[in-house]
Amino acid sequence: MAVTCWWHYLHILMNEKEIAVRRTFAIISHPDAGKTTLTEKLLLFGGAIQVAGAVKSNKIKKHATSDFMEIERQRGISVATSVMSFAYNDTLINLLDTPGHKDFAEDTYRTLTAVDSVILVIDSVNGVEEQTRKLVEVCRMRDTPIIVFVNKLDRDGKMPFDLLDEIEKELKLSLHPLSWPINMGKEFKGVYNLYDSSLNLFTANQKATEDNTIPIEDINDTVLDERVGDRDAAQLREDVELLQGVYGALDVDKYLSGQISPVFFGSAVNNFGVKELLDTFIRVAPTPQARNTDKRRVEPTENKFTGFIFKIHANLDPRHRDRIAFLRVCSGRFARNTYYKHTRLEKDVRFSNPYSFMAREKDVIEEAFPGDVVGLFDTGNFKIGDTLTEGEMMQFTGIPTFSPEIFKELVNKDPMKTKQLEKGVQQLTDEGVAQLFTQHGGNRKIIGCVGELQFEVIQYRLLQEYGASCAFQPLSFYKACWITGDKKAIEDFVRYKQSNVMEDKDGNLVYLAQSEWFLNTERQNNPKIEFHFTSEFKTAMAK
Ligand code: G4P
């Protein structure tokens, strides 16, 4: 008994140590703001890549809207960069990549369920852009802490105070600048770090190892005038006085609870301001956090392993149906060749070749800890959101599906291949490529996606991987709403709105509204029915 206790205790201690050094995050932005460039610079700091351009060449080309095969090919390559793990100053960083292309936005939302914080890149010239809004909304659902990086200061952009104002208003974020730029565009001279009172002078294309930081005692130090000139020094002092008056010291707890977002300024392509960002990030960003399940909240420090699947990627080789499921470890220690409970299937599964994404290589790993992402080879056992445990029957929550934006009816073009088509559609929807809605009490199938591109991908993959040919008939639905409520009211609604009520792939009832007007009317006419905009209504949203 004493030995068991001791062993148990040692495990907890080891786990706590592993958790303390880990930071798992994603970089999000509107396309072109500089996410890929920033990712690459961060990896250079961690020594994970040697050559600039390595990440970029794997990037899905943002403008390739019709060349879906090229996109699929690049998506395949991007598996390798889906999770980038590297060490920096005794910290183990797991950077989860999110696709830039807006048609794959759902992929991004799901990846955000697996991180503990995010860095949001804003282009100083364009300010807040369309895709940023939605991404921040998704972060807010879970109070994910956000650090803002205002990029492209080497270009003539919006004035910094105006930008802060715009971000605060449009994204409803409370900001707290930790660095402040001295001019911008051609006049850009550098940034003043408010966190540790230092000056960082701008040099284009700074090397990762280069450090142009000049510590200054306080803002009145004459070094400032010598380095940036009297006029800019005076302006900076004025700005800093104003900033300190308004913001004071950073309340890290407020950042950690998602109430305040620190802001940095810089230029990713010039590797400028990136080191400050990274140094502050590893100091303040959250370690792996607790997560909710349908039964209870799971703390990362718990002794027993738990984790969930947040992403599934098909292998591109059409001869193999193998897929890679991405598992986020939530608690305990994941070990190779150990049986775990797949709670949805109530079945024990084990993995002989789980791999990590450390540095450049895909390596088979023996163990993984909370915050880590493990790649599991899957032959069709997993769906997004599936949970693995050491036996406890529970399901992680907080991985909602949002309403698709485009709906099309699936038309089977080859009745001889009906089975293959059904299987293919089932598997692709399990992967989260699209959402499938089946007519309630019927056979009609509607596919919902975020972007047009996904329909092309589905059609192509159904043919290539399953030998099934299909076509899509456009439908003009506005939104999918999951419905719950009084049993009788639901029965009546289903009967009355038969052609608009479908089932999602888990058998939940979904109302497809033709327009906002229809939706509002139905809500008014059916007070006993609740209309939900995400699939996750059965349990409280995970915080
Ligand atoms: P994304 O992943 O968010 O879509 O953006 P990405 O990093 O690809 O950057 C988009 C464009 O912005 C790239 O130029 C990149 O070089 C540029 N960029 C990134 N950071 C900065 C910066 O600090 N200052 C300036 N001036 N430009 C920046 P591109 O012409 O689209 O690509 P490339 O030909 O440079 O590779």
Side-chain angles (χ1 to χ4, degrees), residues 32-37 56 59 151-152 154-155 267-269:
D32 270 346
K35 181 173 76 71
T36 314
T37 314
K56 217 168 187 76
K59 181 172 150 175
N151 191 27
K152 306 196 186 180
D154 60 319
R155 295 183 57 194
S267 169
V269 80

Side-chain angles (χ1 to χ4, degrees), residues 29-34 120-136 152 158 163 166-167 170-171:
S29 76
H30 186 87
D32 270 346
L120 166 65
V121 184
I122 302 267
D123 180 332
S124 67
V125 182
N126 297 334
V128 174
E129 296 171 89
E130 181 208 333
Q131 237 168 287
T132 326
R133 280 178 244 274
K134 183 78 203 238
L135 290 166
V136 169
K152 306 196 186 180
K158 299 186 178 182
L163 261 176
E166 180 178 327
I167 300 170
E170 302 234 354
L171 301 178

